[in-house]
């Protein structure tokens, strides 16, 4: 998620803060009860034997609690400003058996009880991670496919509307719709699905840029432990992941730690004033990342970046509050364990507190050593990007995040496609960006992309030029890192963010009842769309079956006269990628590349299946990237 450019009224956030403060003194007259406990259940046999339960209900924090269950010890009870909350620190001994215990609270003659379940862990696949051998497909669930129109809208939710004719309202896509098209992803060559957030967003419409908009994007959580029922709920999410695993596909969870929706249940009755980052008057984040790397930065600028709110209707969580931190970390572990997700994408990573992020990352990695974690830090240079991932730079703070979204390479690829070649322009940008990979501990763990749900669509940015499309797609699928593709890019979906993000988040044609076109099938695509689809499919399937291409060493040569050449190679195979970014056919003399061509005299063009019987010179058509599998 990126910053928004439209103006906001300060009246709503200021009113929200007033309500938050008033809520701390409310509900004392209600009958005492426990109405919820988070996490909703837990497991025996977890590596971390500590568990903190959030106990909530009218005056639930005024009771003294006890637990009588073998292996479960109530170590300490914490109370906060709001008497409706208690936080219970438990330890679970290694020999603790699965079962249900009774949480008992006493306050004089009053008694509260609540059943809590400890489950046995299963051997179902989970936290398999994604790596350079994978190809991630990014889906915005509400806009992809609708399998069940009955769950499009609910009268008892804050937003009761679903209308495909309105770009700002929900359209009805759901998780079953995604599951119904797993075969499509497989055909394309995708090995992992990344879904924009699926957690409940029970938000009212908000005024943004002069229009009323829904939270169909998913980034305004209102209950961490519920998948939005308009997407099908918890059961549908679990079934989708199980179905994907059955096909050998992985699922990436989109996590948000920085903020929640203004309608979140704990925002309506805030545990304490410091649950949020609060200011005397509404303060937006600056969206300026520089204070995180600047040795000369003013502390005030750093505070505004980190503690300012992303937008007024998404309250900013104070991760320095230990109860907030525990709540978010335990939810992350619960999600992986319960649903079986394989990797973890973190929204607005650079806005989170550093120590919290390291602690959260480590908790996931300790419990699930094979999981991959990559965050969104929207920056414009390599040094800044390295700041938020495991790196080799002497920063005062060292991040433990394994991967990150590669915004710098994204910018370089776009420049390469839209600039004429020069010393520092065109394909030189890609070469120069990759030449700085030494700043990362492992650049292969970076996730690369051509566009996403917050950006102008790739095909529009390159002027709807199919030759440029193929060049960029070739770079995406043959350079280092873990490639990801935004839904519809393979069928040339286009548009700019004008007047809003909705223009780049249109419904996938064929995913909804009544669609006149079905782009899930070759028969429903135009000739040009099939050319693009088949290009991605051909290269992605080849990449999947060619370790040298996805996991081998990268050797690149300084571009000359608009020609950019690099090799992906391991002990078994060598692949040559040669790009002519100019408007004229080029004849590549290969003597310069002999260090990687030794022992090879022929090649097969991976994309056309044509054979080259000599490698002395290679003709490259204008605006073309060749992918050649070298042969003796």
């Amino acid at each position: 998620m990126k910053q928004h450019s439209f103006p906001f009224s300060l009246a709503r956030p200021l009113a929200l803060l007033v309500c938050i403060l008033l809520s701390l003194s409310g509900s004392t007259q209600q009958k005492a009860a426990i109405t919820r406990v988070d996490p909703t259940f837990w497991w025996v046999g977890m590596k971390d034997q500590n568990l903190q339960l959030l106990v909530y209900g009218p005056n639930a924090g005024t009771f003294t609690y006890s637990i009588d269950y073998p292996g479960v010890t109530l170590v300490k009870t914490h109370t906060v400003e709001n008497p409706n909350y208690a936080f219970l620190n438990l330890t679970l001994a290694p020999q603790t058996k699965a079962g249900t215990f009774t949480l008992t609270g006493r306050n004089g003659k009053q008694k509260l009880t609540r059943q809590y379940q400890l489950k046995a862990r299963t051997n179902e696949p989970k936290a398999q991670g994604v790596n350079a051998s994978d190809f991630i497909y990014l889906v915005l669930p509400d806009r992809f496919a609708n399998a069940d129109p009955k769950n499009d809208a609910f009268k008892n939710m804050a937003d009761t509307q679903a209308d495909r004719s309105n770009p700002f309202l929900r359209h009805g896509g759901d998780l079953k719709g995604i599951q119904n098209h797993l075969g499509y992803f497989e055909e394309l060559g995708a090995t992992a699905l990344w879904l924009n957030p699926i957690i409940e967003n029970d938000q009212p419409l908000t005024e943004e840029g002069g229009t009323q908009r829904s939270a169909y994007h998913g980034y305004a959580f209102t209950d961490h432990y519920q998948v939005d029922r308009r997407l099908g709920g918890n059961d549908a999410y679990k079934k989708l992941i199980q179905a994907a695993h059955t096909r050998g596909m992985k699922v990436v969870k989109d996590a948000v730690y920085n903020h929640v929706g203004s309608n979140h249940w704990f925002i309506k009755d805030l545990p304490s004033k410091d649950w949020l980052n609060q200011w005397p008057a509404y303060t937006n984040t600056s969206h300026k990342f520089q204070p995180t790397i600047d040795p000369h930065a003013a502390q005030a600028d750093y505070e505004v970046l980190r503690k300012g709110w992303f937008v007024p209707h998404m309250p900013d969580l104070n991760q320095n509050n230990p109860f907030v931190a525990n709540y978010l970390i335990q939810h992350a572990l619960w999600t992986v364990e319960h649903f079986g997700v394989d990797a973890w994408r973190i929204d607005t990573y650079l806005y989170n507190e550093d120590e919290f992020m390291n602690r959260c990352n480590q908790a996931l990695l300790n419990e699930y050593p094979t999981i991959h974690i990559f965050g969104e830090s929207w920056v414009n240079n390599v040094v800044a990007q390295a700041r938020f991932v495991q790196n080799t730079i002497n920063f005062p703070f060292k991040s433990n995040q394994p991967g990150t979204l590669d915004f710098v390479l994204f910018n370089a690829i776009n420049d390469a496609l839209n600039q004429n070649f020069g010393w520092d322009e065109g394909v030189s940008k890609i070469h120069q960006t990759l030449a700085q990979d030494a700043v990362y501990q492992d650049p292969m763990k970076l996730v690369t992309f051509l566009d996403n749900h917050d950006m102008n669509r790739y095909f529009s940015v390159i002027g709807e030029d199919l030759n440029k499309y193929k060049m960029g797609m070739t770079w995406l699928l043959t350079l280092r890192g873990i490639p990801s593709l935004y839904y519809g890019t393979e069928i040339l979906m286009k548009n700019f963010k004008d007047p809003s993000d909705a223009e780049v988040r249109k419904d996938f044609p064929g995913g909804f009842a009544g669609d006149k076109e079905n782009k899930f099938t070759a028969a429903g695509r135009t000739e040009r769309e099939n050319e693009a689809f088949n290009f991605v499919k051909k290269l992605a399937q080849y990449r999947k079956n060619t370790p040298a291409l996805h996991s081998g060493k990268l050797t690149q040569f300084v571009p000359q006269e608009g020609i950019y050449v690099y090799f992906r190679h391991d002990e078994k195979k060598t692949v040559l990628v040669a790009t002519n970014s100019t408007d004229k056919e080029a004849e590549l003399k290969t003597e310069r590349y002999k260090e990687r061509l030794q022992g090879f005299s022929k090649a097969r063009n991976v994309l056309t299946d044509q054979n080259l019987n000599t490698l002395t010179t290679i003709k490259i058509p204008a605006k073309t990237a060749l992918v050649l599998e070298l042969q003796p």
Side-chain angles (χ1 to χ4, degrees):
M1 180 182 292
K2 75 179 291 288
Q3 62 268 30
H4 298 266
S5 59
F6 41 77
F8 288 93
S9 167
L10 298 187
R12 178 173 173 81
L14 288 176
L16 172 63
L17 294 182
V18 171
C19 291
I20 287 169
L21 295 175
L22 290 175
S23 75
L24 295 178
S25 60
S27 74
T28 56
Q29 303 303 315
Q30 297 183 50
K31 182 179 179 181
I34 299 174
T35 57
R36 72 179 295 152
V37 178
D38 287 348
T40 51
F41 50 81
W42 203 249
W43 296 266
V44 296
M46 300 285 277
K47 293 178 185 177
D48 188 347
Q49 298 171 18
N50 298 302
L51 175 62
Q52 185 174 88
L53 299 182
L54 180 157
V55 179
Y56 175 73
N59 294 308
T62 65
F63 284 68
T64 299
Y65 290 94
S66 63
I67 297 170
D68 184 10
Y69 189 84
V72 179
T73 303
L74 174 54
V75 178
K76 187 173 183 178
T77 298
H78 301 271
T79 57
V80 290
E81 295 168 58
N82 190 331
N84 296 336
Y85 289 83
F87 294 86
L88 311 185
N89 286 7
L90 313 183
T91 59
L92 309 181
Q95 70 275 15
T96 306
K97 304 297 184 183
T100 300
F101 66 75
T102 301
L103 176 63
T104 302
R106 287 185 170 83
N107 184 352
K109 294 181 179 181
Q110 296 184 79
K111 180 181 178 181
L112 301 178
T113 60
R114 177 84 173 201
Q115 300 298 299
Y116 194 82
Q117 185 179 13
L118 294 175
K119 295 187 174 187
R121 302 180 76 179
T122 70
N123 293 322
E124 294 178 355
K126 64 176 74 75
Q128 299 172 95
V130 291
N131 55 48
S133 69
D134 284 302
F135 179 28
I136 302 171
Y137 190 95
L138 169 59
V139 179
L140 183 56
D142 181 68
R143 302 297 165 93
F144 192 72
N146 188 357
D148 184 5
K150 294 190 297 296
N151 64 23
D152 290 357
F154 294 90
K155 293 182 179 179
N156 61 350
M157 297 190 79
D159 171 12
T160 61
Q161 301 183 60
D163 182 358
R164 288 186 67 201
S165 67
N166 187 325
F168 304 119
L169 297 183
R170 292 181 178 273
H171 289 185
D174 50 38
L175 298 172
K176 181 62 175 176
I178 296 170
Q179 183 178 334
N180 288 347
H181 291 96
L182 289 176
Y184 174 80
F185 308 130
E186 273 191 312
E187 180 189 3
L188 185 64
T191 63
L193 296 179
W194 159 17
L195 276 56
N196 291 118
I198 45 76
I199 289 176
E200 179 191 273
N201 274 223
D202 190 10
Q203 286 279 103
L205 298 179
T206 53
E207 183 177 335
E208 304 175 30
T211 58
Q212 292 291 312
R213 304 186 188 188
S214 70
Y216 69 88
H217 48 71
Y219 288 95
F221 296 175
T222 55
D223 188 337
H224 281 74
Y225 288 91
Q226 295 297 324
V227 171
D228 203 299
R229 49 187 160 139
R230 289 162 295 196
L231 299 179
N234 288 17
D235 188 54
Y237 189 45
K238 196 159 191 175
K239 286 179 178 178
L240 167 62
I241 293 171
Q242 290 172 337
H245 286 168
T246 298
R247 292 174 176 261
M249 299 182 70
K250 304 168 184 177
V251 176
V252 180
K253 173 72 167 59
D254 202 328
V256 185
Y257 299 133
N258 181 66
H259 50 263
V260 293
S262 56
N263 219 31
H264 195 289
W265 72 266
F266 61 48
I267 296 297
K268 293 180 176 181
D269 192 19
L270 209 65
S272 59
K273 298 181 187 71
D274 67 348
W275 194 262
L276 301 178
N277 288 315
Q278 299 206 39
W279 301 76
Y282 176 75
T283 300
N284 212 84
T285 178
S286 64
H287 299 293
K288 286 282 190 180
F289 66 84
Q290 286 79 6
T292 64
I293 59 171
D294 181 6
H296 319 293
Q299 184 64 24
D301 288 340
Y302 185 89
E303 293 291 311
V304 170
L305 167 69
R306 285 286 169 83
K307 300 183 186 302
W309 289 24
F310 204 75
V311 291
H313 57 274
M314 294 182 185
D316 202 75
L317 295 176
N318 175 17
Q319 296 152 351
N320 292 318
N321 179 315
F323 303 116
V324 173
N326 286 337
Y327 188 88
L328 296 173
I329 292 169
Q330 289 183 161
H331 172 254
L333 296 169
W334 183 91
T335 299
V336 177
E337 189 69 24
H338 181 51
F339 293 113
V341 297
D342 299 296
W344 204 252
R345 182 266 186 184
I346 302 171
D347 181 62
T348 55
Y349 191 94
L350 70 87
Y351 300 90
N352 294 284
E353 296 293 342
D354 288 327
E355 295 294 345
F356 164 76
M357 285 313 314
N358 268 14
R359 182 184 162 201
C360 191
N361 293 340
Q362 199 58 53
L364 282 167
L365 291 166
N366 287 346
E367 198 69 52
Y368 311 103
T370 56
I371 198 170
H372 188 52
I373 304 169
F374 61 97
E376 175 203 36
S377 297
W378 198 316
V379 299
N380 61 16
N381 67 78
V382 169
V383 171
Q385 187 159 279
R387 165 66 170 73
F388 302 101
V389 69
Q390 292 174 346
N391 61 71
T392 61
I393 302 177
N394 189 27
F395 288 121
F397 176 81
K398 299 295 289 186
S399 173
N400 66 359
Q401 184 181 202
T404 188
L405 283 159
D406 197 342
F407 281 87
V408 183
L409 185 58
F410 157 79
N411 287 328
I413 289 176
N414 274 275
D415 286 345
L417 293 170
N418 292 307
Q419 294 176 353
N420 292 325
F421 175 71
W423 185 266
D424 291 315
E425 293 80 35
V427 289
S428 295
K429 288 285 186 71
I430 298 177
H431 177 267
Q432 292 173 1
T433 297
L434 296 172
Q436 300 173 73
D437 270 358
V439 300
Y440 310 112
Q441 283 192 16
D442 189 352
M444 295 291 281
K445 293 182 177 180
L446 273 60
V447 175
T448 58
F449 58 98
L450 300 172
D451 61 357
N452 63 30
H453 53 289
D454 289 324
M455 297 174 165
N456 297 324
R457 279 214 174 247
Y458 170 62
F459 194 50
S460 294
V461 170
I462 58 175
E464 300 183 26
D465 185 324
L466 194 55
N467 288 327
K468 286 185 177 181
Y469 173 93
K470 292 179 180 179
M471 281 197 297
M473 196 63 67
T474 300
W475 295 331
L476 178 72
L477 291 170
T478 61
L479 286 170
R480 62 97 177 108
I482 308 168
S484 65
L485 190 75
Y486 184 41
Y487 82 95
T489 299
E490 74 280 9
I491 57 165
L492 306 180
M493 285 181 70
K494 58 189 179 182
N495 258 341
F496 293 93
K497 293 172 45 173
D498 183 12
S500 73
D501 289 341
E503 298 305 311
V504 299
R505 301 172 179 176
K506 290 186 177 293
D507 299 343
F508 192 101
F512 297 77
D515 282 356
K516 296 180 180 179
E517 300 173 315
N518 181 9
K519 305 296 184 183
F520 287 110
T521 67
R525 297 189 286 264
T526 67
E527 182 178 353
R528 200 179 193 207
E529 290 165 350
N530 271 318
E531 185 177 353
F533 179 91
N534 291 332
F535 183 89
V536 177
K537 172 182 174 180
K538 180 92 171 182
L539 191 50
Q541 293 288 359
Y542 176 76
R543 181 185 189 276
K544 181 166 60 175
N545 297 311
T546 308
L549 189 59
H550 58 65
S551 304
K553 180 178 173 56
L554 168 66
T555 299
Q556 64 170 350
F557 289 78
V558 174
Q560 294 181 348
E561 299 178 351
I563 307 299
Y564 176 43
V565 174
Y566 56 91
F567 294 78
R568 298 303 303 274
H569 51 97
D570 59 17
E571 294 180 353
K572 295 182 178 180
K573 191 167 290 187
T574 296
V575 178
L576 162 65
V577 181
T579 304
N580 175 10
S581 65
T582 72
D583 294 326
K584 297 180 180 179
E585 181 181 80
E587 189 171 85
L588 181 67
K589 296 181 180 180
T590 61
E591 173 67 18
R592 182 184 172 214
Y593 313 107
K594 61 184 179 182
E595 66 183 84
R596 291 295 344 143
L597 286 172
Q598 288 181 359
F600 300 108
S601 60
K602 298 181 295 184
R604 180 178 70 87
N605 187 318
V606 170
L607 297 170
T608 65
D609 291 317
Q610 294 177 328
N611 293 316
L612 281 69
N613 294 319
T614 178
L615 297 178
T616 304
T617 60
I618 300 173
K619 288 187 177 181
I620 315 176
K623 293 183 182 178
T624 297
L626 300 180
V627 182
L628 305 178
E629 182 181 293
L630 303 185
Q631 300 169 349

